[in-house]
Every structure is written in structure tokens, then in C-alpha cells.
């Protein structure tokens, strides 16, 4: 198979990080898209607008869930075929899956516009916050198709040994987003809708570059006449269903957080949740980036049945994630107040809520990395069922149980403790699945 030297190299920490670091940096910059919006919106418009961004998050997660499923599941299926020396067939499937994403994006954009007004009218928000929600989401939906293609091209660039290019695209998109946020909000005073447009244009950078890159035949993966194989679509969907479940239940859980905070504290509580989610999202992006980076290697070694390399890759990954987990938890605890002060001033009631909440939620960083990697590993090994069980249990079942029980006894502190409690339970389940399937996959 042409241009596959990276998969033939020894599995060492150096080679793994050379493959994964660009994707880690890429996902960190992708997390900046939302964080930068929050930074500009909170400082230039106010915390009511910051609350609105969090209130629209569940809808955005629903919109991107299908793309996440096809991107992660499709990447695993296609790279498995590459490992089996079926390059031309893999390229046909790649092209057909991209076209499916375009069609799905158009459909979801239309449905999103139909539902926007009704969603926020039913939430009993203040007039200002409801107006911010409608304005932000209506502008964001314009970019549905580019955002879906960005999600796909990001992973396929990684699989095609173009992780560095994917990083460049993410950095360029992040910088463009930051610049446009300033231009649209500070200079032209376009309000929260301007922040949504800035985000959409930032995402579009990867889409444009991806269309050019994959349009060239010299790329490992490139467009060719598609052959629609229903089984490929089914495999991609089933294999990536855990990632779709994660996106869906993340939206549902975010909605639950918002409703619970509105009940206990009000709209200031929603703004505090938003700030804490930014901190956790930044840390999680490190683990997500690493998992994305090594996923093609896991799939390839699984496809060629190279258990020795697979076992070493998983062992090194455990050590890397363990080290990063300790570092991120320590940094988050030590920098809680400076991090929160970026989004809310000390005299703002949102500030105290976010500081106390972040100190409790930071405990979750001990477990998040292992949970993300475990789900991603089983996806890469084409075991979408186990991956889905892990993702759904972690993001929905355990979180739902914690959200229903802990606030009842502990009030607002119970809301903050829900995330660490859910991640701990998910960690125990992930460890059990890891042990159960170790002999089947030889890791």
C-alpha cells in the first residue's frame, strides 16, 4: 500500500506522539472556537448572552451527531479496508460517505430552522436570553453543511497521514474565528449573531482545504466515482454510533444541567455552568485529540492482525493518558480563579458560582481521559456495540442518575458533583470492558 510508512514504523512513544500531537493540537484549537465565542460574548455583551450560548448547545450537538457518527465510524471502516489492501474500494466508500454527509447536513439545517423558535419559547426564559438564543442558533445553522464536512475531513486527513495539515487548518480556523469575533462584535457591533458567523467561517477553513486535498489523486484517500454500498453505510453508522450517542446525550445532559441550574439558581447558574464546561472541554480535547490520533493506527494494526504492535500501542497510551490526567487536574485546581476571571468579573455573582463549581468538577479529570480513550479504542477496533455502551453509560445513564439524586441531597454542590460521580462510574465500566476483551483483540 502506497505511502503507509507511518504504519510500518516501530510502536514507540516518539512515533506515537509524532502521529498524535498534531491531532491533539488540532482538537485543542477546535475547542477554542466555542471558548472564544464565550470570551468575547461574555465581555462585550454580557453573561445573559453567555447563558444563551450554553442553552443553544444541545441543539448544536443534535445537529452534528450524525456527522460525528459517520466520520468516526467511517474512518475506522475505511482504514480497516486499507489495512486489508483494498485501497480502491476504500476510496469509493470514502466518497460515498462524504456525499451522505452533505445530504444529511442539508436535511438537518432545514429541520433546525423549523424547530428553533419553538424550542426556546418553551423554556420560560427572559426575553433578552430567548432573543440571544434564537439569533445565535439561526446564524449558526447557515453553516451546517460546512461544519459536517469539517468534522469528516478532520479525521480523514489524520487517516491519510496529513495530521499536520489538519492542525494547520484548525489553527487557521481558530485564528480566523478570533479575529472575526473581534471585528464583528467590537468593531461592527453585530451582537451574538456575529459570534455565530465567526465560528461558522472558522470551521469552514478545514472544509475548503479538505475539498482541495481530497480532490487530488496523490492523496492516500481521494475522491473517485462513488459506489454506494449499503453495508458500508450500516457498518459506519453502527461502528460510530457510540460517538453519535455521545454527541446526542451530551446535548441532553447539557439541557438537564441548564434546567437544573435554572431551578436552583437561575440564569446566572447557566452562565457558571458554561464557564466550567469550557474548562472541562479544553482538558477533554487533549484526550479526544490523542484518541483521534492513534485510532487509525489501532484500526490498521487490527486489520493486519498485528497483535504485538496493537498491545504496545495500547500500553503506551494508558501511561500517556494517566500522566496527562494528573497534570490537567493539578493545573485546573491551581488556576481556577484566573480561568474563571477571564469570563466573569469577581463582583459578578456568576464568578463565585463558577469558582466553587470548578473546584468540585475538576475531580472528573482523573477519569475523563481513560473513558474517552476506551470508547475510541473499541470504535477503532470495529466494536461499535461496546463503544456505544461505554459512551452511552458514561454520558447519559450515569450522568442522569447523578443529576437526579445528588442535587436532591446536596443542592447546587450536588449538581457540580454529578460530573465526577458519573465519570468515576464510567471509569469502572471501561476498566471492566477493557479486561473482558483483552484476549479477543490481543492488546
Amino acid at each position: 500500500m502506497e505511502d503507509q510508512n507511518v504504519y510500518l514504523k516501530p510502536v514507540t512513544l516518539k512515533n506515537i506522539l509524532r502521529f498524535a500531537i498534531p491531532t491533539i493540537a488540532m482538537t485543542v484549537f477546535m475547542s477554542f472556537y466555542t471558548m472564544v465565542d464565550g470570551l468575547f460574548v461574555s465581555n462585550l455583551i454580557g453573561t445573559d448572552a453567555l447563558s444563551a450560548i450554553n442553552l443553544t448547545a444541545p441543539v448544536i450537538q443534535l445537529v452534528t451527531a450524525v456527522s460525528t457518527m459517520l466520520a468516526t465510524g467511517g474512518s475506522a471502516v475505511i482504514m480497516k479496508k486499507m489495512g486489508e489492501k483494498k485501497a480502491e474500494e476504500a476510496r469509493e466508500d470514502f466518497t460515498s460517505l462524504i456525499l451522505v454527509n452533505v445530504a444529511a447536513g442539508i436535511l438537518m439545517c432545514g429541520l433546525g430552522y423549523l424547530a428553533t423558535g419553538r424550542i426556546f419559547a418553551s423554556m420560560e426564559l427572559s426575553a433578552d436570553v430567548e432573543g440571544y438564543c434564537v439569533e445565535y442558533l439561526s446564524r449558526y445553522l447557515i453553516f451546517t453543511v460546512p461544519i459536517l464536512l469539517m468534522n469528516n475531513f478532520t479525521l480523514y486527513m489524520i487517516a491519510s497521514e496529513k495530521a499536520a495539515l489538519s492542525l494547520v487548518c484548525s489553527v487557521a480556523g481558530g485564528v480566523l474565528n478570533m479575529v472575526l469575533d473581534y471585528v464583528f462584535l467590537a468593531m461592527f457591533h453585530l451582537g451574538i449573531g456575529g459570534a455565530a458567523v465567526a465560528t461558522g467561517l472558522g470551521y469552514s477553513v478545514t472544509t475548503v482545504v479538505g475539498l482541495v486535498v481530497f480532490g487530488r489523486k496523490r492523496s492516500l484517500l481521494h475522491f473517485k466515482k462513488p459506489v454506494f454500498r449499503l453495508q458500508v453505510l450500516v457498518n459506519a453508522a453502527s461502528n460510530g454510533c457510540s460517538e453519535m450517542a455521545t454527541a446526542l446525550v451530551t446535548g441532553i445532559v447539557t439541557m438537564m444541567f441548564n434546567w437544573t441550574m435554572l431551578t436552583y439558581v437561575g440564569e446566572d447558574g447557566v452562565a457558571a455552568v458554561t464557564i466550567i464546561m469550557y474548562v472541562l472541554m479544553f482538558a477533554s480535547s487533549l484526550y479526544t485529540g490523542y484518541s483521534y490520533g492513534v485510532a487509525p493506527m489501532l484500526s490498521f494494526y487490527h486489520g493486519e492482525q498485528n497483535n504485538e504492535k496493537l498491545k504496545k500501542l495500547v500500553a503506551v497510551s494508558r501511561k500517556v493518558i494517566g500522566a496527562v490526567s494528573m497534570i490537567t487536574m493539578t493545573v485546573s485546581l491551581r488556576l481556577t480563579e484566573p480561568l474563571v476571571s477571564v469570563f466573569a468579573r469577581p463582583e459578578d455573582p456568576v464568578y463565585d458560582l463558577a469558582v466553587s463549581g470548578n473546584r468540585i468538577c475538576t475531580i472528573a479529570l482523573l477519569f475523563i481521559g481513560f473513558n474517552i480513550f476506551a470508547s475510541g479504542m473499541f470504535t477503532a477496533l470495529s466494536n461499535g456495540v461496546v463503544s456505544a455502551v461505554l459512551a452511552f453509560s458514561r454520558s447519559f445513564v450515569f450522568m442522569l442518575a447523578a443529576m437526579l439524586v445528588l442535587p436532591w441531597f446536596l443542592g447546587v454542590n450536588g449538581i457540580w458533583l454529578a460530573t465526577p460521580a458519573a465519570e468515576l462510574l464510567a471509569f469502572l465500566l471501561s476498566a471492566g470492558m477493557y479486561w473482558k476483551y483483552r484476549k479477543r483483540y490481543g492488546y
Side-chain angles (χ1 to χ4, degrees), residues 236-276:
S238 61
N239 199 36
C241 64
S242 64
E243 280 69 25
M244 179 181 182
T246 299
L248 288 173
V249 301
T250 297
I252 295 171
V253 169
T254 300
M255 191 179 301
M256 288 172 52
F257 261 109
N258 292 339
W259 284 342
T260 307
M261 270 300 181
L262 286 171
T263 300
Y264 280 86
V265 183
E267 291 171 354
D268 285 343
V270 176
V273 168
T274 308
I275 295 171
I276 293 171

Side-chain angles (χ1 to χ4, degrees), residues 246-318:
T246 299
L248 288 173
V249 301
T250 297
I252 295 171
V253 169
T254 300
M255 191 179 301
M256 288 172 52
F257 261 109
N258 292 339
W259 284 342
T260 307
M261 270 300 181
L262 286 171
T263 300
Y264 280 86
V265 183
E267 291 171 354
D268 285 343
V270 176
V273 168
T274 308
I275 295 171
I276 293 171
M277 287 180 65
Y278 287 158
V279 176
L280 292 178
M281 179 176 62
F282 177 80
S284 296
S285 68
L286 298 172
Y287 311 123
T288 302
Y290 182 84
S291 297
Y292 282 168
V294 300
M297 300 172 72
L298 290 167
S299 298
F300 189 88
Y301 298 148
H302 176 54
E304 69 172 2
Q305 298 182 343
N306 192 329
N307 290 344
E308 182 181 351
K309 284 189 173 182
L310 186 62
K311 183 176 183 178
K312 190 168 185 179
L313 176 57
V314 173
V316 173
S317 296
R318 290 199 309 267

Side-chain angles (χ1 to χ4, degrees), residues 6 9-22 290 297 312 316 320:
V6 67
K9 292 180 179 179
V11 179
T12 62
L13 177 60
K14 179 179 179 181
N15 287 335
I16 293 172
L17 292 181
R18 286 180 62 185
F19 202 77
I21 283 178
Y290 182 84
M297 300 172 72
K312 190 168 185 179
V316 173
V320 170

